């Protein structure tokens, strides 16, 4: 997994899953940032049950895993940050800022601790 010097962003489930599976194209934040380029998607340990229920109701075409099936507490995928905006037509935008994401994809789960903001993850190496 490409983690050397690559930054990560910790996101609660089910939002991290939605990003890496190509459903969610923005990640809302209260702060903006100039980072552009690849970012690892870290699924935090916390789970947003209210958000999960909202997605099930408002996006019935998305087949979400059951709540207990989400990976948490590690890297679950990657995406490219291609911008930071304060308005968007995306149905996922709630602002006040959002990172615009492209080319997202899941990666094999790799446990590691999360942090606030962009961070370089400490991922144990096999061997």
């Amino acid at each position: 997994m490409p983690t050397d010097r690559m930054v990560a962003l910790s996101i609660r489930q089910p939002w991290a899953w939605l990003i890496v599976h190509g459903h969610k194209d923005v990640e809302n934040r209260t702060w903006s940032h100039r980072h552009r380029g690849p970012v690892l998607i870290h699924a935090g340990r916390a789970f947003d049950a209210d958000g999960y229920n909202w997605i099930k109701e408002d996006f019935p075409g998305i087949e979400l895993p059951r709540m207990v099936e989400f990976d948490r507490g590690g890297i679950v995928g990657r995406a490219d940050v291609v911008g930071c905006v304060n308005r968007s037509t995306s149905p996922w935008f709630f602002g006040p800022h959002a990172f615009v994401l492209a080319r997202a994809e899941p990666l094999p789960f790799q446990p590691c601790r999360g942090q606030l903001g962009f961070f370089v993850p400490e991922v144990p190496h096999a061997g």
Side-chain angles (χ1 to χ4, degrees), residues 10-51:
S10 191
I11 302 166
R12 289 189 298 168
Q13 292 286 30
W15 310 111
W17 184 92
L18 288 164
I19 289 169
V20 302
H21 287 91
H23 299 288
K24 188 171 182 270
D25 58 350
V26 296
E27 171 55 17
N28 297 288
R29 295 289 156 150
T30 58
W31 46 275
S32 64
H33 201 280
R34 293 179 183 220
H35 175 79
R36 302 296 181 268
V39 63
L40 293 169
I41 305 299
H42 176 273
R45 291 191 186 275
F47 190 88
D48 184 354
D50 290 338

Side-chain angles (χ1 to χ4, degrees), residues 4 11 16 19-22 27 46 49-50 58-60 63 68 85 88 92 95 100 107 112 119:
D4 292 343
I11 302 166
I19 289 169
V20 302
H21 287 91
E27 171 55 17
D50 290 338
D58 284 21
F59 298 89
E63 293 186 34
V68 298
V85 298
S88 172
W92 305 105
V100 180
L107 293 172
C112 73
F119 67 97

Side-chain angles (χ1 to χ4, degrees), residues 13 42-47 67-74 76 109 111:
Q13 292 286 30
H42 176 273
R45 291 191 186 275
F47 190 88
M67 285 189 205
V68 298
E69 296 175 329
F70 286 88
D71 288 322
R72 293 193 244 173
V76 295
F109 180 71

